[in-house]
Amino acid sequence: MFSTLKNIFKVSDLRRRVLFTLAMLAVFRIGSYIPVPNVNAKLFDPSQNAFLGILNTFSGGALQNFSIFAMSITPYITASIIVQLLTMDVIPKFAEWAKEGEHGRKKLAQITRYLTVVLGLIQAVGFSLSFDRMVPGLIIDKGFATFALIAITLTAGTAFLMWLGEQITEKGIGNGISLIIFAGIIAQVPRGINTIYTTWFYTNPDRLFLNLVYVALLLIAIVLVIVGVIYVQQGVRRIPVQYAKRMVGRNLYGGQTTHIPLKVNAAGVIPVIFATSLLIFPSTVASWFQPNAVANWIVAHFSPGPTAWLYITLEVLLIIGFTYFYTAIQINPEQLADQMRKNAGYIPGVRPGKPTEMFIVRVMNRITLAGALFLAAVSVLPILFMNVAALNMYFGGTSLLIIVSVALETMKQLESQLLQRHYKGFIR
């Protein structure tokens, strides 16, 4: 491993990309401590509210500091969900752009940016008004100009993070948006360790044996999740494809056997991020109207807590749905079957054309269900464990899943860059 890390810094282009990525993540962490004007952040504690605790984890503590990055990248994720849903023949123009390749993707990316700013501004206004009611004295010198300044600052912070993520994707290593979420979650690890110590050992020293059992179970669960995520992310179903021999002019082509690699989890960690972001939205809106009976019920039941059965059920359903949805975007069975037919390829025992397409769809549905159920289990089981252990912490299975998945994907990109330059990579 150390030899591989040394090889990374031997290549000037790769070294520049890695250093650029680290520099941009450092900017993100510095910005997480720059407070919004006219706010007394010392009075604000998001850990008292479940959905604010999740937001604080994803923002790397920026929400607790009420910094310029307090909203993190969640408006961008929500905007991405909306735009991708609209490309599924809801808006014909969007569906047309989605099929135009790089040119169409640039147009959709521009629409996503505009929508991010709009959603960010709405969320920023809601945050400033609701937090002012929730925490007396939080906002100093109340007035229209103050609330407008806070909303514009928070929106500008989200827009800057969106730009930062795009710069990392273009000039650095890995997916910029995922790495920003990754860095935020990693920054919360020390806080999570402190929460475990305070809850299990400092507050309840008389339950030492039971607390040690909880710690042992937690460590075992973490190791199992890491192993499971790597196993599922690397899992591939290979569909054999045989190409018939054919003459093109005087040359003989085909005759070889290859395969179509279908990943068990082609969607990666995106469904978990989408589902969590979508579930946060009702609680965010409801918090603007607290105290109110309906708003209190929504916040209580759409947040991971002791009465979290509705939240857990919805999260499982959304993760499964988004896994199938994103897999359908990534893999087009009709296009695969058509390409094989044009190149005289066929799956042994399956007729070319429509039967081939249906066979690929059937295999995709089966393996995608396994991947979706695994993602749902990893996201939900830690919530149940924390409720049983009375642990008020929002660094759970979703966070660990994101960390492992993003780290694995980034390592793969480094691996491919090293192999292009004839170096051995991380993965054996």
Side-chain angles (χ1 to χ4, degrees):
M1 184 183 73
F2 292 109
S3 175
T4 304
L5 292 173
K6 184 179 178 182
N7 290 335
I8 290 173
F9 288 92
K10 284 182 179 179
V11 183
S12 60
D13 178 60
L14 196 53
R15 180 175 64 246
R16 178 181 56 80
R17 286 179 172 273
V18 171
L19 293 177
F20 179 83
T21 302
L22 294 175
M24 294 299 100
L25 293 179
V27 170
F28 162 61
R29 292 306 304 148
I30 292 170
S32 300
Y33 292 92
I34 300 176
V36 171
N38 295 332
V39 171
N40 185 4
K42 293 181 180 179
L43 300 176
F44 187 58
D45 184 12
S47 63
Q48 302 303 318
N49 185 291
F51 88 91
L52 292 181
I54 295 174
L55 282 177
N56 189 54
T57 299
F58 281 4
S59 67
L63 182 60
Q64 184 165 6
N65 300 326
F66 217 108
S67 77
I68 57 176
F69 296 154
M71 295 195 305
S72 187
I73 208 71
T74 50
Y76 175 82
I77 296 171
T78 306
S80 299
I81 296 171
I82 294 172
V83 171
Q84 289 192 12
L85 288 173
L86 293 178
T87 59
M88 305 296 287
D89 293 327
V90 177
I91 297 181
K93 196 65 178 177
F94 282 22
E96 182 183 330
W97 287 343
K99 298 174 183 177
E100 288 182 359
E102 187 63 29
H103 179 67
R105 280 195 292 270
K106 286 182 179 179
K107 289 183 179 179
L108 291 173
Q110 194 68 17
I111 297 293
T112 305
R113 294 187 192 105
Y114 292 142
L115 186 58
T116 298
V117 174
V118 173
L119 292 177
L121 186 59
I122 294 171
Q123 187 172 331
V125 171
F127 268 17
S128 57
L129 294 175
S130 62
F131 291 165
D132 176 53
R133 290 197 300 268
M134 291 168 58
V135 185
L138 177 68
I139 297 178
I140 307 167
D141 298 329
K142 298 178 185 179
F144 176 79
T146 299
F147 284 108
L149 177 62
I150 293 172
I152 292 171
T153 303
L154 290 174
T155 306
T158 294
F160 179 77
L161 277 184
M162 176 179 62
W163 175 84
L164 205 67
E166 291 177 350
Q167 294 301 304
I168 293 174
T169 303
E170 182 182 350
K171 301 177 182 178
I173 288 289
N175 183 289
I177 301 299
S178 298
L179 282 173
I180 287 174
I181 298 174
F182 171 87
I185 294 173
I186 286 291
Q188 290 298 96
V189 171
R191 190 185 299 274
I193 295 173
N194 183 62
T195 301
I196 292 173
Y197 171 76
T198 304
T199 304
W200 287 349
F201 295 98
Y202 184 77
T203 307
N204 299 302
D206 53 324
R207 300 171 53 189
L208 180 61
F209 178 76
L210 182 60
N211 293 335
L212 289 174
V213 171
Y214 280 152
V215 170
L217 291 175
L218 185 62
L219 292 175
I220 292 171
I222 289 172
V223 172
L224 290 177
V225 168
I226 293 174
V227 172
V229 171
I230 294 173
Y231 183 78
V232 172
Q233 291 292 90
Q234 299 287 85
V236 175
R237 167 70 187 274
R238 293 181 172 89
I239 299 177
V241 179
Q242 179 71 44
Y243 286 94
K245 293 182 180 181
R246 55 197 176 99
M247 293 293 296
V248 180
R250 294 185 177 181
N251 298 320
L252 181 66
Y253 292 95
Q256 75 271 21
T257 301
T258 182
H259 65 269
I260 301 173
L262 295 179
K263 296 188 67 174
V264 175
N265 182 24
V269 75
I270 299 296
V272 177
I273 297 176
F274 278 10
T276 305
S277 301
L278 207 59
L279 283 174
I280 285 173
F281 185 73
S283 299
T284 304
V285 175
S287 67
W288 302 346
F289 302 97
Q290 285 183 311
N292 177 279
V294 177
N296 291 341
W297 185 89
I298 292 174
V299 171
H301 290 81
F302 279 80
S303 304
T307 58
W309 296 110
L310 179 60
Y311 176 92
I312 290 172
T313 303
L314 290 175
E315 185 174 30
V316 169
L317 293 176
L318 284 173
I319 288 175
I320 293 173
F322 277 126
T323 302
Y324 275 98
F325 169 73
Y326 208 77
T327 301
I329 292 176
Q330 298 285 90
I331 304 171
N332 188 337
E334 182 181 357
Q335 186 178 13
L336 286 174
D338 189 53
Q339 287 177 349
M340 280 194 290
R341 182 181 58 80
K342 290 179 179 178
N343 292 283
Y346 63 94
I347 298 172
V350 182
R351 292 173 62 87
K354 193 67 176 179
T356 297
E357 178 189 342
M358 297 306 297
F359 177 81
I360 295 174
V361 169
R362 188 164 61 252
V363 173
M364 275 178 53
N365 288 339
R366 289 176 179 175
I367 63 175
T368 300
L369 179 61
L373 291 176
F374 173 79
L375 292 178
V378 170
S379 301
V380 166
L381 290 178
I383 296 176
L384 302 177
F385 173 77
M386 289 176 188
N387 288 339
V388 171
L391 189 62
N392 185 23
M393 187 177 69
Y394 304 100
F395 184 91
T398 300
S399 302
L400 192 59
L401 182 63
I402 292 171
I403 288 174
V404 177
S405 299
V406 173
L408 193 61
E409 192 62 36
T410 306
M411 283 175 57
K412 284 183 180 178
Q413 290 202 22
L414 286 170
E415 176 89 3
S416 63
Q417 294 279 348
L418 286 171
L419 291 177
Q420 286 178 9
R421 295 165 175 84
H422 309 292
Y423 285 105
K424 290 182 180 179
F426 289 98
I427 304 172
R428 296 289 181 266

PDB file of all heavy atoms in Angstrom, residues 172-204:
ATOM      1  N   GLY A 172      -9.854  17.070 -10.136  1.00  0.00           N
ATOM      2  CA  GLY A 172      -9.292  16.250  -9.071  1.00  0.00           C
ATOM      3  C   GLY A 172      -9.518  14.773  -9.314  1.00  0.00           C
ATOM      4  O   GLY A 172      -9.553  14.307 -10.445  1.00  0.00           O
ATOM      5  N   ILE A 173      -9.710  14.035  -8.217  1.00  0.00           N
ATOM      6  CA  ILE A 173      -9.927  12.592  -8.269  1.00  0.00           C
ATOM      7  C   ILE A 173     -11.258  12.276  -7.610  1.00  0.00           C
ATOM      8  O   ILE A 173     -11.516  12.716  -6.491  1.00  0.00           O
ATOM      9  CB  ILE A 173      -8.795  11.836  -7.539  1.00  0.00           C
ATOM     10  CG1 ILE A 173      -7.502  11.897  -8.343  1.00  0.00           C
ATOM     11  CG2 ILE A 173      -9.165  10.388  -7.301  1.00  0.00           C
ATOM     12  CD1 ILE A 173      -7.507  11.071  -9.609  1.00  0.00           C
ATOM     13  N   GLY A 174     -12.105  11.493  -8.277  1.00  0.00           N
ATOM     14  CA  GLY A 174     -13.368  11.066  -7.694  1.00  0.00           C
ATOM     15  C   GLY A 174     -14.510  12.011  -8.000  1.00  0.00           C
ATOM     16  O   GLY A 174     -14.343  13.041  -8.667  1.00  0.00           O
ATOM     17  N   ASN A 175     -15.694  11.643  -7.500  1.00  0.00           N
ATOM     18  CA  ASN A 175     -16.890  12.466  -7.648  1.00  0.00           C
ATOM     19  C   ASN A 175     -16.874  13.553  -6.574  1.00  0.00           C
ATOM     20  O   ASN A 175     -16.884  13.255  -5.377  1.00  0.00           O
ATOM     21  CB  ASN A 175     -18.137  11.591  -7.521  1.00  0.00           C
ATOM     22  CG  ASN A 175     -19.414  12.380  -7.733  1.00  0.00           C
ATOM     23  OD1 ASN A 175     -19.798  13.190  -6.904  1.00  0.00           O
ATOM     24  ND2 ASN A 175     -20.080  12.132  -8.846  1.00  0.00           N
ATOM     25  N   GLY A 176     -16.864  14.812  -7.001  1.00  0.00           N
ATOM     26  CA  GLY A 176     -16.693  15.920  -6.074  1.00  0.00           C
ATOM     27  C   GLY A 176     -17.783  16.017  -5.027  1.00  0.00           C
ATOM     28  O   GLY A 176     -17.493  16.212  -3.833  1.00  0.00           O
ATOM     29  N   ILE A 177     -19.051  15.876  -5.436  1.00  0.00           N
ATOM     30  CA  ILE A 177     -20.172  15.981  -4.496  1.00  0.00           C
ATOM     31  C   ILE A 177     -20.083  14.873  -3.449  1.00  0.00           C
ATOM     32  O   ILE A 177     -20.255  15.116  -2.242  1.00  0.00           O
ATOM     33  CB  ILE A 177     -21.518  15.911  -5.245  1.00  0.00           C
ATOM     34  CG1 ILE A 177     -21.620  17.037  -6.284  1.00  0.00           C
ATOM     35  CG2 ILE A 177     -22.670  15.984  -4.261  1.00  0.00           C
ATOM     36  CD1 ILE A 177     -21.549  18.432  -5.723  1.00  0.00           C
ATOM     37  N   SER A 178     -19.802  13.650  -3.894  1.00  0.00           N
ATOM     38  CA  SER A 178     -19.681  12.524  -2.960  1.00  0.00           C
ATOM     39  C   SER A 178     -18.518  12.732  -1.999  1.00  0.00           C
ATOM     40  O   SER A 178     -18.624  12.419  -0.807  1.00  0.00           O
ATOM     41  CB  SER A 178     -19.488  11.216  -3.735  1.00  0.00           C
ATOM     42  OG  SER A 178     -20.593  10.939  -4.555  1.00  0.00           O
ATOM     43  N   LEU A 179     -17.411  13.270  -2.495  1.00  0.00           N
ATOM     44  CA  LEU A 179     -16.246  13.493  -1.631  1.00  0.00           C
ATOM     45  C   LEU A 179     -16.509  14.573  -0.591  1.00  0.00           C
ATOM     46  O   LEU A 179     -15.989  14.506   0.528  1.00  0.00           O
ATOM     47  CB  LEU A 179     -15.028  13.869  -2.483  1.00  0.00           C
ATOM     48  CG  LEU A 179     -14.344  12.706  -3.188  1.00  0.00           C
ATOM     49  CD1 LEU A 179     -13.261  13.209  -4.138  1.00  0.00           C
ATOM     50  CD2 LEU A 179     -13.721  11.741  -2.174  1.00  0.00           C
ATOM     51  N   ILE A 180     -17.316  15.585  -0.931  1.00  0.00           N
ATOM     52  CA  ILE A 180     -17.662  16.623   0.046  1.00  0.00           C
ATOM     53  C   ILE A 180     -18.497  16.016   1.175  1.00  0.00           C
ATOM     54  O   ILE A 180     -18.258  16.286   2.358  1.00  0.00           O
ATOM     55  CB  ILE A 180     -18.407  17.784  -0.641  1.00  0.00           C
ATOM     56  CG1 ILE A 180     -17.425  18.603  -1.493  1.00  0.00           C
ATOM     57  CG2 ILE A 180     -19.093  18.681   0.381  1.00  0.00           C
ATOM     58  CD1 ILE A 180     -18.076  19.683  -2.315  1.00  0.00           C
ATOM     59  N   ILE A 181     -19.478  15.178   0.811  1.00  0.00           N
ATOM     60  CA  ILE A 181     -20.277  14.483   1.834  1.00  0.00           C
ATOM     61  C   ILE A 181     -19.376  13.560   2.645  1.00  0.00           C
ATOM     62  O   ILE A 181     -19.478  13.487   3.877  1.00  0.00           O
ATOM     63  CB  ILE A 181     -21.412  13.697   1.172  1.00  0.00           C
ATOM     64  CG1 ILE A 181     -22.360  14.646   0.438  1.00  0.00           C
ATOM     65  CG2 ILE A 181     -22.184  12.887   2.215  1.00  0.00           C
ATOM     66  CD1 ILE A 181     -23.429  13.950  -0.375  1.00  0.00           C
ATOM     67  N   PHE A 182     -18.464  12.857   1.970  1.00  0.00           N
ATOM     68  CA  PHE A 182     -17.504  11.953   2.613  1.00  0.00           C
ATOM     69  C   PHE A 182     -16.661  12.707   3.646  1.00  0.00           C
ATOM     70  O   PHE A 182     -16.512  12.268   4.792  1.00  0.00           O
ATOM     71  CB  PHE A 182     -16.615  11.337   1.537  1.00  0.00           C
ATOM     72  CG  PHE A 182     -15.444  10.547   2.051  1.00  0.00           C
ATOM     73  CD1 PHE A 182     -15.579   9.205   2.361  1.00  0.00           C
ATOM     74  CD2 PHE A 182     -14.199  11.142   2.204  1.00  0.00           C
ATOM     75  CE1 PHE A 182     -14.485   8.470   2.809  1.00  0.00           C
ATOM     76  CE2 PHE A 182     -13.111  10.422   2.664  1.00  0.00           C
ATOM     77  CZ  PHE A 182     -13.255   9.078   2.976  1.00  0.00           C
ATOM     78  N   ALA A 183     -16.128  13.866   3.251  1.00  0.00           N
ATOM     79  CA  ALA A 183     -15.285  14.649   4.157  1.00  0.00           C
ATOM     80  C   ALA A 183     -16.074  15.151   5.357  1.00  0.00           C
ATOM     81  O   ALA A 183     -15.563  15.181   6.489  1.00  0.00           O
ATOM     82  CB  ALA A 183     -14.673  15.832   3.397  1.00  0.00           C
ATOM     83  N   GLY A 184     -17.339  15.545   5.124  1.00  0.00           N
ATOM     84  CA  GLY A 184     -18.167  16.010   6.222  1.00  0.00           C
ATOM     85  C   GLY A 184     -18.440  14.912   7.236  1.00  0.00           C
ATOM     86  O   GLY A 184     -18.383  15.144   8.455  1.00  0.00           O
ATOM     87  N   ILE A 185     -18.724  13.702   6.751  1.00  0.00           N
ATOM     88  CA  ILE A 185     -19.013  12.591   7.657  1.00  0.00           C
ATOM     89  C   ILE A 185     -17.762  12.190   8.431  1.00  0.00           C
ATOM     90  O   ILE A 185     -17.812  11.945   9.647  1.00  0.00           O
ATOM     91  CB  ILE A 185     -19.573  11.393   6.869  1.00  0.00           C
ATOM     92  CG1 ILE A 185     -20.938  11.753   6.266  1.00  0.00           C
ATOM     93  CG2 ILE A 185     -19.715  10.162   7.761  1.00  0.00           C
ATOM     94  CD1 ILE A 185     -21.490  10.701   5.328  1.00  0.00           C
ATOM     95  N   ILE A 186     -16.624  12.126   7.737  1.00  0.00           N
ATOM     96  CA  ILE A 186     -15.364  11.774   8.397  1.00  0.00           C
ATOM     97  C   ILE A 186     -15.052  12.767   9.514  1.00  0.00           C
ATOM     98  O   ILE A 186     -14.560  12.389  10.587  1.00  0.00           O
ATOM     99  CB  ILE A 186     -14.212  11.746   7.376  1.00  0.00           C
ATOM    100  CG1 ILE A 186     -14.312  10.504   6.487  1.00  0.00           C
ATOM    101  CG2 ILE A 186     -12.849  11.777   8.060  1.00  0.00           C
ATOM    102  CD1 ILE A 186     -14.027   9.201   7.207  1.00  0.00           C
ATOM    103  N   ALA A 187     -15.350  14.050   9.278  1.00  0.00           N
ATOM    104  CA  ALA A 187     -15.073  15.078  10.285  1.00  0.00           C
ATOM    105  C   ALA A 187     -15.899  14.888  11.549  1.00  0.00           C
ATOM    106  O   ALA A 187     -15.537  15.398  12.616  1.00  0.00           O
ATOM    107  CB  ALA A 187     -15.339  16.465   9.703  1.00  0.00           C
ATOM    108  N   GLN A 188     -17.010  14.135  11.449  1.00  0.00           N
ATOM    109  CA  GLN A 188     -17.876  13.910  12.602  1.00  0.00           C
ATOM    110  C   GLN A 188     -17.519  12.649  13.390  1.00  0.00           C
ATOM    111  O   GLN A 188     -18.147  12.374  14.410  1.00  0.00           O
ATOM    112  CB  GLN A 188     -19.331  13.811  12.132  1.00  0.00           C
ATOM    113  CG  GLN A 188     -19.909  15.130  11.644  1.00  0.00           C
ATOM    114  CD  GLN A 188     -19.947  16.175  12.726  1.00  0.00           C
ATOM    115  OE1 GLN A 188     -19.047  17.005  12.831  1.00  0.00           O
ATOM    116  NE2 GLN A 188     -20.964  16.145  13.549  1.00  0.00           N
ATOM    117  N   VAL A 189     -16.518  11.894  12.925  1.00  0.00           N
ATOM    118  CA  VAL A 189     -16.134  10.661  13.629  1.00  0.00           C
ATOM    119  C   VAL A 189     -15.675  10.935  15.060  1.00  0.00           C
ATOM    120  O   VAL A 189     -16.122  10.258  16.002  1.00  0.00           O
ATOM    121  CB  VAL A 189     -15.056   9.899  12.832  1.00  0.00           C
ATOM    122  CG1 VAL A 189     -14.488   8.745  13.651  1.00  0.00           C
ATOM    123  CG2 VAL A 189     -15.645   9.363  11.531  1.00  0.00           C
ATOM    124  N   PRO A 190     -14.778  11.920  15.301  1.00  0.00           N
ATOM    125  CA  PRO A 190     -14.384  12.200  16.700  1.00  0.00           C
ATOM    126  C   PRO A 190     -15.570  12.566  17.586  1.00  0.00           C
ATOM    127  O   PRO A 190     -15.633  12.147  18.754  1.00  0.00           O
ATOM    128  CB  PRO A 190     -13.405  13.382  16.561  1.00  0.00           C
ATOM    129  CG  PRO A 190     -12.888  13.284  15.166  1.00  0.00           C
ATOM    130  CD  PRO A 190     -14.025  12.764  14.361  1.00  0.00           C
ATOM    131  N   ARG A 191     -16.525  13.330  17.040  1.00  0.00           N
ATOM    132  CA  ARG A 191     -17.706  13.691  17.819  1.00  0.00           C
ATOM    133  C   ARG A 191     -18.527  12.442  18.164  1.00  0.00           C
ATOM    134  O   ARG A 191     -19.085  12.325  19.257  1.00  0.00           O
ATOM    135  CB  ARG A 191     -18.560  14.692  17.032  1.00  0.00           C
ATOM    136  CG  ARG A 191     -19.691  15.318  17.845  1.00  0.00           C
ATOM    137  CD  ARG A 191     -20.540  16.205  16.938  1.00  0.00           C
ATOM    138  NE  ARG A 191     -19.764  17.274  16.371  1.00  0.00           N
ATOM    139  CZ  ARG A 191     -19.537  18.438  16.957  1.00  0.00           C
ATOM    140  NH1 ARG A 191     -20.040  18.672  18.165  1.00  0.00           N
ATOM    141  NH2 ARG A 191     -18.825  19.370  16.357  1.00  0.00           N
ATOM    142  N   GLY A 192     -18.604  11.499  17.206  1.00  0.00           N
ATOM    143  CA  GLY A 192     -19.338  10.266  17.459  1.00  0.00           C
ATOM    144  C   GLY A 192     -18.684   9.429  18.545  1.00  0.00           C
ATOM    145  O   GLY A 192     -19.375   8.861  19.404  1.00  0.00           O
ATOM    146  N   ILE A 193     -17.357   9.348  18.514  1.00  0.00           N
ATOM    147  CA  ILE A 193     -16.628   8.609  19.553  1.00  0.00           C
ATOM    148  C   ILE A 193     -16.862   9.241  20.919  1.00  0.00           C
ATOM    149  O   ILE A 193     -17.075   8.548  21.923  1.00  0.00           O
ATOM    150  CB  ILE A 193     -15.122   8.553  19.215  1.00  0.00           C
ATOM    151  CG1 ILE A 193     -14.901   7.737  17.937  1.00  0.00           C
ATOM    152  CG2 ILE A 193     -14.328   7.956  20.370  1.00  0.00           C
ATOM    153  CD1 ILE A 193     -13.472   7.776  17.435  1.00  0.00           C
ATOM    154  N   ASN A 194     -16.847  10.565  20.962  1.00  0.00           N
ATOM    155  CA  ASN A 194     -17.091  11.278  22.218  1.00  0.00           C
ATOM    156  C   ASN A 194     -18.515  11.031  22.728  1.00  0.00           C
ATOM    157  O   ASN A 194     -18.742  10.871  23.938  1.00  0.00           O
ATOM    158  CB  ASN A 194     -16.858  12.771  22.014  1.00  0.00           C
ATOM    159  CG  ASN A 194     -17.030  13.561  23.300  1.00  0.00           C
ATOM    160  OD1 ASN A 194     -16.312  13.360  24.277  1.00  0.00           O
ATOM    161  ND2 ASN A 194     -18.011  14.459  23.315  1.00  0.00           N
ATOM    162  N   THR A 195     -19.480  10.961  21.789  1.00  0.00           N
ATOM    163  CA  THR A 195     -20.869  10.682  22.181  1.00  0.00           C
ATOM    164  C   THR A 195     -20.996   9.291  22.786  1.00  0.00           C
ATOM    165  O   THR A 195     -21.696   9.093  23.791  1.00  0.00           O
ATOM    166  CB  THR A 195     -21.800  10.812  20.963  1.00  0.00           C
ATOM    167  OG1 THR A 195     -21.712  12.135  20.425  1.00  0.00           O
ATOM    168  CG2 THR A 195     -23.241  10.532  21.342  1.00  0.00           C
ATOM    169  N   ILE A 196     -20.322   8.313  22.178  1.00  0.00           N
ATOM    170  CA  ILE A 196     -20.352   6.945  22.704  1.00  0.00           C
ATOM    171  C   ILE A 196     -19.755   6.896  24.110  1.00  0.00           C
ATOM    172  O   ILE A 196     -20.335   6.295  25.025  1.00  0.00           O
ATOM    173  CB  ILE A 196     -19.587   5.994  21.769  1.00  0.00           C
ATOM    174  CG1 ILE A 196     -20.334   5.835  20.443  1.00  0.00           C
ATOM    175  CG2 ILE A 196     -19.382   4.627  22.424  1.00  0.00           C
ATOM    176  CD1 ILE A 196     -19.574   5.052  19.404  1.00  0.00           C
ATOM    177  N   TYR A 197     -18.628   7.555  24.304  1.00  0.00           N
ATOM    178  CA  TYR A 197     -17.980   7.559  25.630  1.00  0.00           C
ATOM    179  C   TYR A 197     -18.866   8.236  26.671  1.00  0.00           C
ATOM    180  O   TYR A 197     -19.060   7.722  27.775  1.00  0.00           O
ATOM    181  CB  TYR A 197     -16.629   8.269  25.544  1.00  0.00           C
ATOM    182  CG  TYR A 197     -16.005   8.510  26.906  1.00  0.00           C
ATOM    183  CD1 TYR A 197     -15.413   7.458  27.607  1.00  0.00           C
ATOM    184  CD2 TYR A 197     -16.044   9.778  27.500  1.00  0.00           C
ATOM    185  CE1 TYR A 197     -14.863   7.667  28.866  1.00  0.00           C
ATOM    186  CE2 TYR A 197     -15.498   9.997  28.747  1.00  0.00           C
ATOM    187  CZ  TYR A 197     -14.911   8.935  29.431  1.00  0.00           C
ATOM    188  OH  TYR A 197     -14.383   9.143  30.674  1.00  0.00           O
ATOM    189  N   THR A 198     -19.436   9.386  26.293  1.00  0.00           N
ATOM    190  CA  THR A 198     -20.270  10.134  27.241  1.00  0.00           C
ATOM    191  C   THR A 198     -21.526   9.361  27.611  1.00  0.00           C
ATOM    192  O   THR A 198     -21.912   9.295  28.782  1.00  0.00           O
ATOM    193  CB  THR A 198     -20.661  11.502  26.644  1.00  0.00           C
ATOM    194  OG1 THR A 198     -19.481  12.216  26.290  1.00  0.00           O
ATOM    195  CG2 THR A 198     -21.475  12.318  27.624  1.00  0.00           C
ATOM    196  N   THR A 199     -22.181   8.749  26.608  1.00  0.00           N
ATOM    197  CA  THR A 199     -23.453   8.062  26.848  1.00  0.00           C
ATOM    198  C   THR A 199     -23.264   6.742  27.580  1.00  0.00           C
ATOM    199  O   THR A 199     -24.024   6.421  28.514  1.00  0.00           O
ATOM    200  CB  THR A 199     -24.165   7.805  25.512  1.00  0.00           C
ATOM    201  OG1 THR A 199     -24.323   9.049  24.811  1.00  0.00           O
ATOM    202  CG2 THR A 199     -25.537   7.186  25.735  1.00  0.00           C
ATOM    203  N   TRP A 200     -22.277   5.964  27.186  1.00  0.00           N
ATOM    204  CA  TRP A 200     -22.149   4.612  27.716  1.00  0.00           C
ATOM    205  C   TRP A 200     -21.231   4.502  28.932  1.00  0.00           C
ATOM    206  O   TRP A 200     -21.426   3.625  29.772  1.00  0.00           O
ATOM    207  CB  TRP A 200     -21.639   3.672  26.628  1.00  0.00           C
ATOM    208  CG  TRP A 200     -22.669   3.346  25.590  1.00  0.00           C
ATOM    209  CD1 TRP A 200     -24.002   3.614  25.648  1.00  0.00           C
ATOM    210  CD2 TRP A 200     -22.451   2.678  24.351  1.00  0.00           C
ATOM    211  NE1 TRP A 200     -24.636   3.170  24.517  1.00  0.00           N
ATOM    212  CE2 TRP A 200     -23.703   2.585  23.696  1.00  0.00           C
ATOM    213  CE3 TRP A 200     -21.347   2.158  23.701  1.00  0.00           C
ATOM    214  CZ2 TRP A 200     -23.866   1.995  22.452  1.00  0.00           C
ATOM    215  CZ3 TRP A 200     -21.491   1.566  22.467  1.00  0.00           C
ATOM    216  CH2 TRP A 200     -22.748   1.481  21.847  1.00  0.00           C
ATOM    217  N   PHE A 201     -20.241   5.340  29.051  1.00  0.00           N
ATOM    218  CA  PHE A 201     -19.256   5.162  30.118  1.00  0.00           C
ATOM    219  C   PHE A 201     -19.263   6.298  31.139  1.00  0.00           C
ATOM    220  O   PHE A 201     -19.192   6.061  32.337  1.00  0.00           O
ATOM    221  CB  PHE A 201     -17.852   5.013  29.511  1.00  0.00           C
ATOM    222  CG  PHE A 201     -17.698   3.769  28.684  1.00  0.00           C
ATOM    223  CD1 PHE A 201     -17.815   3.809  27.309  1.00  0.00           C
ATOM    224  CD2 PHE A 201     -17.453   2.547  29.291  1.00  0.00           C
ATOM    225  CE1 PHE A 201     -17.686   2.663  26.554  1.00  0.00           C
ATOM    226  CE2 PHE A 201     -17.314   1.392  28.541  1.00  0.00           C
ATOM    227  CZ  PHE A 201     -17.433   1.451  27.165  1.00  0.00           C
ATOM    228  N   TYR A 202     -19.348   7.541  30.672  1.00  0.00           N
ATOM    229  CA  TYR A 202     -19.293   8.676  31.609  1.00  0.00           C
ATOM    230  C   TYR A 202     -20.617   8.843  32.349  1.00  0.00           C
ATOM    231  O   TYR A 202     -20.647   9.011  33.576  1.00  0.00           O
ATOM    232  CB  TYR A 202     -18.954   9.958  30.846  1.00  0.00           C
ATOM    233  CG  TYR A 202     -18.781  11.168  31.739  1.00  0.00           C
ATOM    234  CD1 TYR A 202     -17.616  11.351  32.473  1.00  0.00           C
ATOM    235  CD2 TYR A 202     -19.804  12.110  31.853  1.00  0.00           C
ATOM    236  CE1 TYR A 202     -17.471  12.458  33.302  1.00  0.00           C
ATOM    237  CE2 TYR A 202     -19.665  13.217  32.662  1.00  0.00           C
ATOM    238  CZ  TYR A 202     -18.502  13.386  33.388  1.00  0.00           C
ATOM    239  OH  TYR A 202     -18.363  14.479  34.201  1.00  0.00           O
ATOM    240  N   THR A 203     -21.752   8.769  31.598  1.00  0.00           N
ATOM    241  CA  THR A 203     -23.067   8.972  32.206  1.00  0.00           C
ATOM    242  C   THR A 203     -23.526   7.751  32.983  1.00  0.00           C
ATOM    243  O   THR A 203     -24.187   7.872  34.020  1.00  0.00           O
ATOM    244  CB  THR A 203     -24.108   9.306  31.118  1.00  0.00           C
ATOM    245  OG1 THR A 203     -23.627  10.394  30.334  1.00  0.00           O
ATOM    246  CG2 THR A 203     -25.441   9.698  31.741  1.00  0.00           C
ATOM    247  N   ASN A 204     -23.201   6.542  32.494  1.00  0.00           N
ATOM    248  CA  ASN A 204     -23.649   5.295  33.136  1.00  0.00           C
ATOM    249  C   ASN A 204     -22.463   4.409  33.494  1.00  0.00           C
ATOM    250  O   ASN A 204     -22.288   3.325  32.906  1.00  0.00           O
ATOM    251  CB  ASN A 204     -24.614   4.535  32.219  1.00  0.00           C
ATOM    252  CG  ASN A 204     -25.861   5.337  31.895  1.00  0.00           C
ATOM    253  OD1 ASN A 204     -26.584   5.750  32.784  1.00  0.00           O
ATOM    254  ND2 ASN A 204     -26.088   5.563  30.609  1.00  0.00           N
TER     255      ASN A 204
END
